[in-house]
Amino acid sequence: MNDPTIISPFDFEAIERFRQQHRLDPQHIRVLRNRLMKHFRSDEEAAADFPLPQSLRFHVLDRYRRFDSDVDGATKMLFRTDAGMLIEAVILRIATGRTTLCVSSQVGCAAACDFCATGKMGIAKNLHSFEILDQVLQAGQILAAEQTSLDNIVFMGMGEPFHNESNLTDAIDLLTATDHFNRSPSRILVSTVGVCDGMIRLAERFPKINLALSLHSADQSTRETIIPLAKRYPLDQLRETIARCNAMQGHEVMIEYLMLDGVNDTEVDRERLSRWLDGLDVHLNLIPYNPIEDAPHLRGTAPDEITDFASAMKSRGIKTTVRYSLGRDIDAACGQLVRKENRTFAIQSHSAAASISTGSQTGDFKN
């Protein structure tokens, strides 16, 4: 967005300068935003009556590829950023009729969780708030074309949201703003591996936003093994953070628990988890693990054992559900295509930069 004559509908300051410069009626801006961000009309329909539509750049992401599940209707979208990197967003069409969009906040992820393909990418670059919002816009346009609405937005895609906190909160500001997307904050969820200070700041700023903690073990040493960031944010601090968020927000925090065979699914693990959750306002979500090629040492807990684990938690008075994974046929290699493409791009960019540098030193490049 370096060209001052080309503006994004997400850029409030730029579009206001544009409006004043061209002496546009504010109604033109309101109609554009309503059509685009609240009703997810197509680009052409949104700009139908807008003066100088050639000055608008509706999308900061290019749609690279789309994968549609043959099993349950999930859609995975790969987007390319202006920097040439790929990210993922996934539309989940729930059997009840509700739809959920899983968005990314980063390219890659520095949390480097052992079970996560994205964490194995070896890079972590923050997405601009406009790049986060464009995932929502393009997914919303897909659903609107199907005459379906977008119900929920979850930050469970690539990246640790609180490692990109400024752009995360800027995006949420516009998602919930009445003159932009006008989404209910209660329909937005932010998932984190446990960045305590970020969780507290978000709860204070957006008390109605939902928080989810990727816990995965109530044993500190086990958690550090699968989530390196756990060393910085130990379990005692996490528990205090959830209690503070409960007090500030007045509603439950989602606890995500990936079921790993022999790692966190034993009777001892059940006892530890129930003690750790005792007294907190939480909803435990048990997640079946789909293996990734970069973690062959990890296996998912058998379905019947997950059911037993859930029953044991419920018997202890803990609200518990087992997540049903949608889009398994397109998510089986989640992050893998993106990882390979991004690594190739990074290598090519590095090689090109090295060639330019070498050429300058040897006089091969001349003005």
Side-chain angles (χ1 to χ4, degrees):
M1 301 298 298
N2 294 325
D3 187 344
T5 64
I6 304 298
I7 57 175
S8 166
F10 306 134
D11 193 335
F12 179 84
E13 293 181 358
I15 205 166
E16 180 59 23
R17 288 194 301 268
F18 177 85
R19 186 193 69 78
Q20 294 179 10
Q21 177 185 356
H22 295 280
R23 299 181 179 179
L24 300 182
D25 187 331
Q27 182 67 8
H28 287 302
I29 306 299
R30 286 193 290 269
V31 170
L32 174 70
R33 287 200 177 115
N34 285 343
R35 289 176 177 175
L36 198 64
M37 302 179 195
K38 296 180 182 179
H39 302 292
F40 296 123
R41 304 277 287 275
S42 69
D43 299 349
E44 295 76 15
E45 291 174 318
D49 306 317
F50 190 81
L52 303 173
Q54 67 275 13
S55 297
L56 296 173
R57 182 188 178 189
F58 288 96
H59 304 292
V60 294
L61 299 174
D62 292 325
R63 199 181 305 172
Y64 176 69
R65 291 184 68 180
R66 171 177 169 169
F67 301 88
D68 293 298
S69 171
D70 293 326
V71 177
D72 50 38
T75 295
K76 179 165 68 174
M77 297 171 291
L78 268 58
F79 295 108
R80 191 182 293 280
T81 70
D82 280 347
M85 308 297 279
L86 292 183
I87 61 171
E88 293 180 352
V90 180
I91 298 173
L92 304 172
R93 299 172 180 85
I94 313 300
T96 59
R98 289 196 173 276
T99 58
T100 296
L101 173 65
C102 180
V103 299
S104 294
S105 56
Q106 293 182 302
V107 181
C109 183
C113 298
D114 193 29
F115 49 80
C116 178
T118 301
K120 305 287 186 180
M121 290 176 65
I123 58 173
K125 297 183 182 296
N126 289 338
L127 294 179
H128 192 279
S129 61
F130 296 173
E131 293 171 317
I132 296 173
L133 293 169
D134 197 22
Q135 296 172 63
V136 178
L137 174 56
Q138 294 202 48
Q141 288 176 320
I142 288 173
L143 291 169
E146 301 171 0
Q147 298 185 333
T148 303
S149 63
L150 173 59
D151 297 306
N152 303 306
I153 299 169
V154 297
F155 286 83
M156 289 185 173
M158 298 171 64
E160 164 52 57
F162 291 118
H163 286 169
N164 187 18
E165 188 175 346
S166 176
N167 285 301
L168 169 70
T169 53
D170 285 349
I172 293 175
D173 273 333
L174 292 188
L175 285 172
T176 56
T178 56
D179 58 349
H180 284 72
F181 286 86
N182 196 31
R183 313 298 298 186
S184 169
S186 65
R187 294 292 183 182
I188 299 174
L189 180 145
V190 177
S191 176
T192 175
V193 295
V195 181
C196 295
D197 42 357
M199 294 173 69
I200 291 170
R201 283 191 294 267
L202 191 80
E204 289 176 331
R205 184 168 178 176
F206 303 103
K208 294 184 179 180
I209 290 284
N210 297 293
L211 278 166
L213 169 65
S214 292
L215 181 66
H216 308 321
S217 177
D219 174 70
Q220 182 64 27
S221 61
T222 300
R223 195 164 189 272
E224 288 180 10
T225 300
I226 57 179
I227 304 176
L229 199 65
K231 296 175 183 177
R232 181 175 178 183
Y233 299 103
L235 284 168
D236 288 347
Q237 185 180 0
L238 274 178
R239 197 178 188 287
E240 292 175 4
T241 297
I242 293 175
R244 288 186 62 183
C245 291
N246 285 159
M248 286 185 289
Q249 295 187 301
H251 59 79
E252 64 191 20
V253 171
M254 178 75 74
I255 302 296
E256 298 170 310
Y257 198 91
L258 191 66
M259 299 297 298
L260 298 171
D261 183 36
V263 176
N264 63 359
D265 61 352
T266 67
E267 182 62 38
V268 173
D269 293 307
R270 298 180 189 183
E271 292 297 329
R272 286 187 182 130
L273 180 59
S274 62
R275 287 197 302 270
W276 195 86
L277 296 177
D278 185 47
L280 298 175
D281 187 5
V282 295
H283 185 138
L284 178 63
N285 194 8
L286 303 180
I287 307 171
Y289 174 64
N290 295 318
I292 60 171
E293 61 184 35
D294 296 291
H297 55 289
L298 294 178
R299 299 185 308 274
T301 303
D304 58 339
E305 294 180 15
I306 295 177
T307 300
D308 289 343
F309 197 102
S311 297
M313 291 298 104
K314 292 176 183 177
S315 69
R316 291 166 169 83
I318 299 169
K319 188 186 299 184
T320 304
T321 55
V322 177
R323 180 184 299 176
Y324 170 68
S325 297
L326 298 179
R328 289 189 178 184
D329 56 325
I330 56 174
D331 278 351
C334 181
Q336 297 295 342
L337 173 61
V338 170
R339 177 189 179 197
K340 293 173 184 176
E341 290 272 354
N342 285 342
R343 278 190 169 180
T344 299
F345 175 80
I347 292 171
Q348 290 173 343
S349 298
H350 178 76
S351 299
S355 297
I356 292 173
S357 176
T358 303
S360 299
Q361 294 172 4
T362 58
D364 292 336
F365 290 85
K366 299 179 180 179
N367 294 327

